[in-house]
Amino acid sequence: MANVQLPTIDTTVADIKVLVPQLLNAYAKLTKELTWLLNNLDTRNVNELNAEKIVAKSITAGKLAADSVETENLIAGAVTADKITVNELSAITANLGHITAGLIESIEIYGSYIATRKTGYPKAELNDNGDLVAVWTDAENYVTIEPGLFNEPTMVYRRAGAVSLILGPVSGFTALLATLDLRIGSQSGSLVLTCGSGPLDSVSVPSWSKTRSVEEGQSLATELSSKATSGVSTGSGGGANAGIPIGTKLAVDGGGYVVWNGVPSHSHTQN
């Protein structure tokens, strides 16, 4: 703090002719000191300022305590106030440090790391580097949305630290790639797959032998192999009597009879 020398007078002097010059001299010194002090008021002679309200265009302070501060520019090492009103937040030049806030609205934040909790799991985070969005169950199990894995945003699931599922564009297709068994089900009991129109409007599988029933354990290829093939004749069927004993004599209209020999062995073509 600046050293201010306030004038003094000898209060024991009774002679008015001696006392008056002392008072005039003290007044002149006090005026000079106060003029200098007000012209040079800064952090060297103000360590702490306490006030109910401070209104200023610019405040530079090491420590400020007030109920209300209204300023266009604030540069401070420490500010204690119930309310601070500024034209823009950029008017405050300071390292904000650790801030605890109830509600923040209508703002823009760039280049920041935002997480639902500082330590511990589960948590969600926004990050301006690497994965942009992540949701963590624990340190080894989480899902991320990564911007450049295949040059487009891609969702990646990791289980025990290793990639278990990828959902995103791969080699020109929108792919669902899994390192473990992948099951798709519906509680309604139906699974409907639809494709767009055109030459590739189909659902493709590697082979019918890879299409398997979970309940029966049979592949579609095995089931189809036991069925007749369209356009190919069936095997020869055995003879039959058609319900009439072979050797029965059947009368012919006009006289005479024929002997019933049954239905001979035969085959037919599947349609």
Side-chain angles (χ1 to χ4, degrees), residues 71-74 84-93:
T71 178
E72 294 180 0
N73 186 35
L74 175 61
I84 298 178
T85 303
V86 295
N87 291 339
E88 293 184 1
L89 189 60
S90 59
I92 300 177
T93 303

Side-chain angles (χ1 to χ4, degrees), residues 193-203:
L193 301 178
T194 60
C195 299
S197 60
L200 298 178
D201 55 348
S202 62
V203 178

